[in-house]
Amino acid sequence: MPHTVLIAYGSTYGSTAELARTIGDVLRKAGLITEVRSATDVPDLGPYGAVVLGGALYAGRWQRDARRFARRHRKALARLPLWLFSSGPLDSSAAERDLPPPPSVRRLARRLGAREHTTFGGRLDQRADGRLARMIVRSGKGGDFRDFEAVSAWAERVARELRSVTAPQG
Ligand SMILES: Cc1cc2nc3c(=O)[nH]c(=O)nc-3n(C[C@H](O)[C@H](O)[C@H](O)COP(=O)(O)O)c2cc1C
């Protein structure tokens, strides 16, 4: 099995992409070969031995690129070791407790045989140019609720599991 770990993400305003890059950095420091890519930028899962897939949450669903990625690559994903993360809540709830995924992501995790799903806090600020996004920010409900220590701790756990999955047999 190839050893490269793919960290793919669906992100509209870039905050989930930053979480994916943080996860990639942690896995790389743990000695794994990693590639961090937008979900729109992965034509084929052939080069990869494991996948971490993350999606920003919009109206209770994963961002479109992450959904499409999961659909397009479902057969390969079902065969690969797979970890999922969502990023979204614009409050401290994700830091306070383990938030379950929305039903659509839960179904996906089950169908693809994901090893784990976790939810991280999100970020929304003036950089977001959508109409609804601007309304949320203007109403004072935006902010950056990403906890990079929690992201790194999760990634370290994934790295430990990955090392046992991708270690050469023999
Ligand atoms: C229109 C809109 C809808 C959103 N819906 C949800 C939601 O259903 N659940 C949630 O946890 N966060 C929701 N969020 C917050 C985003 O998931 C959060 O800002 C996230 O970090 C954005 O990621 P991105 O920068 O990678 O696109 C929503 C944000 C916007 C602008």
Side-chain angles (χ1 to χ4, degrees):
M1 188 182 269
H3 288 179
T4 305
V5 181
L6 172 69
I7 298 106
Y9 59 84
S11 175
T12 299
Y13 297 122
S15 70
T16 308
E18 285 177 8
L19 299 182
R21 283 195 283 276
T22 300
I23 293 167
D25 289 345
V26 170
L27 299 190
R28 209 166 302 121
K29 278 191 200 127
L32 294 150
I33 303 166
T34 66
E35 267 181 38
V36 181
R37 286 179 181 272
S38 161
T40 56
D41 195 22
V42 186
D44 172 18
L45 293 187
Y48 306 107
V51 177
V52 179
L53 174 60
L57 291 172
Y58 286 94
R61 298 202 300 170
W62 258 3
Q63 192 265 10
R64 188 182 60 179
D65 301 334
R67 289 204 313 271
R68 286 187 175 169
F69 178 97
R71 203 177 318 127
R72 189 173 347 119
H73 298 296
R74 61 186 178 281
K75 284 192 184 143
L77 287 170
R79 282 194 294 267
L80 288 169
L82 173 69
W83 285 262
L84 307 179
F85 69 94
S86 300
S87 106
L90 298 171
D91 56 29
S92 56
S93 56
E96 285 161 5
R97 56 187 188 279
D98 235 355
L99 293 178
S104 61
V105 178
R106 191 166 48 227
R107 277 195 298 278
L108 199 77
R110 198 177 330 117
R111 236 182 296 141
L112 300 176
R115 289 171 181 238
E116 198 183 313
H117 169 278
T118 193
T119 305
F120 299 122
R123 179 198 75 195
L124 199 68
D125 61 20
Q126 300 78 354
R127 277 167 284 192
D129 56 5
R131 193 176 54 85
L132 276 172
R134 278 204 305 269
M135 273 172 55
I136 295 170
V137 173
R138 247 188 270 124
S139 70
K141 296 204 172 101
D144 191 347
F145 296 91
R146 296 169 304 165
D147 176 349
F148 284 92
E149 271 180 35
V151 175
S152 294
W154 185 76
E156 274 160 22
R157 206 149 49 72
V158 172
R160 280 196 293 277
E161 287 184 44
L162 268 168
R163 270 203 299 261
S164 64
V165 172
T166 57
Q169 305 297 306

